[in-house]
């Protein structure tokens, strides 16, 4: 369950969120939509506990949070497989599981490559594999299909949909196809608030 | 490699020409006289004993300086209070001439320990400064990722901070090796512990044995170069191992 009450946040003089209220029940699949810079990523960051609101309260009830970041955030000195394995306990015993997730995302061939040797789309798939492998009960996805080539979108969407079943999903995207495929409810940014369509 | 050897040969040639032209072996011996003396010295047990003791003394000081530098950088990185308290100390140690340190510390500790302590004091701020920069430059987004995925402190230190700071630490170690030799031998010259290259250098100067002075200096330079090569090879090897992966079992 995610609950935002009167949440406000500014970056310097720029107010990003103004008195935002959100109530996402456990198991719901919700997408945030709106123009760039409207605060979609900030909502995910607050939900993940990576920053605190300047005003208002954020309550998140989740045992484990899996977050597919917009900027991949892969350790540059670790291979794709090692990056996924990192969240699984980072042992030799968990490596087959990491490879399994990479395989599901069509990254079996790139498992031994460092992020610098991967394309943007491949890095995004490793980012997604890491989030899915973590098995969180809350799944935060920030522009999950960004940089993926069109031939992969359907299979990745299907995998995300299957994985999100029974979990709470909060995603940020301006891709309508992606939000319609994954979310039951789309909250659109209007005048500092995320409103239900 | 060929270029380096060519440059070395050129400067040896310059030295030889100057020595022959000056024709004053007491002031400037020829390279072949120095080489012959070095070979003779190398045939004695005392030469290797003295070199080994100086080497151990200097390396021990450098190793302790590296450890203390890393520990201090971690402590000041974690505590603003410690950073405020210790930063002026870092500036003072950096700005103090090595000769002042040697003479000051000589009053407090024995001459056998002093070169080791001086090396420690010279290396510590270099490592501290570099590692602090490395810690501050660690990608905040990667640290956030580690927080979300609940990596433990040890995992974050090993998997995120370690590789981020490693280039800064290696650069500090590289600089420190040269610094350690220079300051360590200088401390030995001024304090003259029983078995030390510094004492041999001082005695050579005292008895106007310039060939010995050059031979011992050549030994110091050779040791410094060999250590640097050894260190570089070690780092390359570690780098190769890291790029091959390394999972815990």
């Amino acid at each position: 369950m995610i609950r935002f009450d009167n949440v406000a946040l500014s970056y310097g003089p720029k107010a990003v969120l103004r008195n935002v209220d959100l109530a996402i029940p456990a198991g719901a699949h919700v997408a945030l939509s709106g123009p760039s810079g409207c605060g979609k990523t900030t909502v995910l960051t607050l939900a993940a506990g990576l920053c605190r609101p300047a005003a208002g309260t954020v309550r998140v009830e989740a045992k484990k949070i899996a977050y597919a970041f917009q900027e991949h955030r892969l350790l540059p000195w670790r291979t794709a497989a090692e990056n996924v394995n990192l969240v699984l306990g980072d042992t030799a015993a968990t490596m087959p599981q990491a490879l399994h997730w990479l395989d599901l995302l069509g990254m079996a061939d790139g498992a031994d490559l460092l992020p610098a040797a991967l394309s943007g789309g491949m890095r995004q798939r490793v980012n997604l594999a890491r989030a899915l492998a973590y098995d969180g009960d809350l799944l935060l996805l920030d522009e999950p299909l960004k940089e993926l080539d069109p031939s992969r979108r359907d299979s990745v969407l299907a995998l995300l949909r299957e994985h999100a079943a029974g979990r709470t999903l909060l995603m940020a995207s301006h891709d309508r196809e992606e939000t319609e495929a994954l979310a039951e409810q789309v909250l659109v940014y209007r005048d500092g608030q995320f409103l239900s369509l | 490699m060929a270029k380096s050897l060519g440059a070395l040969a050129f400067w040896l040639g310059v030295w030889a020409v100057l020595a022959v032209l000056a024709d004053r072996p007491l002031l400037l011996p020829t390279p072949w006289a120095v080489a012959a003396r070095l070979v003779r010295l190398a045939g004695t047990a005392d030469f290797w004993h003295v070199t080994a003791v100086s080497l151990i003394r200097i390396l021990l000081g450098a190793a302790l300086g590296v450890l203390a530098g890393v520990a201090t950088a971690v402590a000041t990185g974690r505590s603003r209070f410690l950073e405020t308290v210790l930063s002026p100390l870092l500036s003072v140690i950096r700005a103090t001439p090595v000769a002042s340190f040697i003479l000051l510390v000589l009053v407090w500790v024995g001459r056998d320990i002093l070169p080791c302590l001086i090396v420690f004091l010279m290396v510590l701020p270099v490592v501290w400064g570099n590692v602090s920069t490395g810690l501050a430059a660690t990608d905040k987004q990667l640290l956030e990722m580690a927080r979300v995925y609940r990596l433990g402190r040890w995992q974050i230190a090993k998997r995120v901070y370690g590789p981020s700071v490693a280039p800064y630490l290696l650069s500090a170690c590289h600089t420190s090796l040269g610094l350690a030799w220079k300051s360590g031998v200088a401390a030995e010259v001024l304090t003259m512990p029983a078995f030390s290259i510094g004492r041999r250098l001082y005695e050579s100067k005292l008895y106007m044995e310039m060939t010995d002075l050059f031979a011992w200096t050549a030994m110091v330079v050779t040791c410094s170069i060999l250590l640097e090569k050894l260190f570089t090879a070690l780092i390359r090897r570690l780098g190769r191992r890291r790029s091959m992966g390394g999972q815990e079992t």
Side-chain angles (χ1 to χ4, degrees), chain B:
Chain B
M1 184 71 179
K3 274 186 186 172
S4 306
L5 285 175
L8 180 69
F10 170 76
W11 287 111
L12 281 173
V14 171
W15 174 11
V17 168
L18 287 175
V20 169
L21 287 177
D23 196 23
R24 309 268 301 266
L26 267 180
L27 289 180
L28 185 64
T30 57
W32 47 90
V34 172
R37 182 65 187 139
L38 192 58
V39 169
R40 262 202 309 281
L41 281 173
T44 65
D46 179 69
F47 177 82
W48 295 108
H49 184 195
V50 164
T51 305
V53 172
S54 279
L55 192 70
I56 290 167
R57 209 183 263 133
I58 288 168
L59 285 182
L60 182 66
L64 292 174
V66 169
L67 288 177
V70 171
T72 317
V74 171
T76 50
R78 290 181 63 87
S79 158
R80 192 155 283 200
F81 170 74
L82 278 179
E83 194 195 352
T84 311
V85 171
L86 294 176
S87 287
L89 192 65
L90 174 71
S91 307
V92 169
I93 296 176
R94 269 187 172 151
T96 308
V98 65
S100 305
F101 261 131
I102 296 168
L103 296 174
L104 255 172
V105 180
L106 186 56
V107 180
W108 301 323
V109 301
R111 61 181 61 212
D112 286 321
I113 308 168
L114 188 128
C116 184
L117 188 60
I118 291 299
V119 170
F120 171 83
L121 285 171
M122 291 297 112
V123 169
L124 186 144
V126 176
V127 175
W128 180 1
N130 266 34
V131 172
S132 292
T133 309
L135 286 172
T138 302
D139 191 336
K140 302 288 176 286
Q141 291 197 334
L142 294 181
L143 291 170
E144 284 184 351
M145 179 279 295
R147 241 176 86 194
V148 167
Y149 287 112
R150 295 187 188 163
L151 300 189
R153 275 187 190 183
W154 170 239
Q155 282 283 74
I156 293 175
K158 193 173 164 190
R159 303 297 185 207
V160 186
Y161 278 116
S164 297
V165 171
Y168 294 87
L169 177 62
L170 293 182
S171 155
C173 289
H174 211 260
T175 310
S176 297
L177 266 182
L179 195 65
W181 269 104
K182 282 180 199 155
S183 55
V185 172
E188 285 182 348
V189 168
L190 287 175
T191 58
M192 294 204 293
F195 293 99
S196 64
I197 293 177
R199 188 185 186 105
R200 297 298 185 272
L201 283 170
Y202 185 78
E203 287 172 352
S204 308
K205 182 242 162 200
L206 195 67
Y207 304 123
M208 289 299 283
E209 288 169 349
M210 295 307 271
T211 323
D212 277 28
L213 183 63
F214 273 74
W216 279 110
T217 306
M219 186 59 186
V220 172
V221 172
T222 309
C223 275
S224 180
I225 292 171
L226 284 179
L227 273 177
E228 198 182 307
K229 298 272 179 216
L230 210 77
F231 182 73
T232 312
L234 184 76
I235 296 312
R236 281 212 189 113
R237 200 171 162 178
L238 284 175
R240 264 204 303 274
R241 266 182 63 187
R242 208 179 69 186
S243 66
M244 282 162 70
Q247 297 290 309
E248 287 171 3
T249 49

